Amino acid sequence: MTKDMTQGNPMKLIVGFALPLLFGFLFQQFYNLVDTVIVGRFLGVNELAGVGATGSVNFLVIGFCMGVCNGFSIPVAHKFGAGDYKGMRKYVANSAWLGIAFSVVLTTVTVVFCRPILELMKTPEDIIDFSYDYIVIIFAAIPFTFLYNIIAGVIPSPGDPNTPVSSLPYPTSRPPIPTPSPHPLPPPLQPSPHTHTSHNPSPPSTASPSP
């Protein structure tokens, strides 16, 4: 549903447009929270530390993807506001082609150099495998990240911020599906059989003392 943002009360239009975007950003932050809860609950402490060690590079790469896609939406919104629908369709098509190019290059570079990046960040040896297992999957899914963010950026450009936000609550709130860790946890320690040995003190002597 499109909406002409050039007609009506400016403050009401801006607030009505911004609130759904704000909720969308909050739901996107819940993704990281859900990852943390699942890893910490079902895997272990080292795995959780491995996820946490990828926070900065994850924010750098995924934040770049989101920034590029949001930039694509600016000329689309300009053309829609100007009533130039032919130019708007041209910018949408260019956004799709540029998104494909960016996603292919960025996915290739990040997946190939994923482990060297973690080593350059001096990720501890005991958690670097967990960090790699987590972040390489996110990097491999960069094309889907571009696809969602281009759609989520272009659709609100004609004044419809509600459609992209309506797709976020389900993947955030669905019940987690635990999966086995590629690095199984060690078995719990068993109590030693010598821990609970019984001590039977010898009965006191009843012999009378010698005179």
Side-chain angles (χ1 to χ4, degrees), residues 12 50 65 76 96 107 139:
K12 184 178 179 181
C65 298
V76 175
T107 301
F139 288 162

Side-chain angles (χ1 to χ4, degrees), residues 4 20 75 97 116 141-142 148 160 169 174 191 195 199:
D4 189 354
W97 286 113
I142 284 177
Y148 168 77
D160 179 22
R174 73 184 189 278
T195 303
H199 300 280

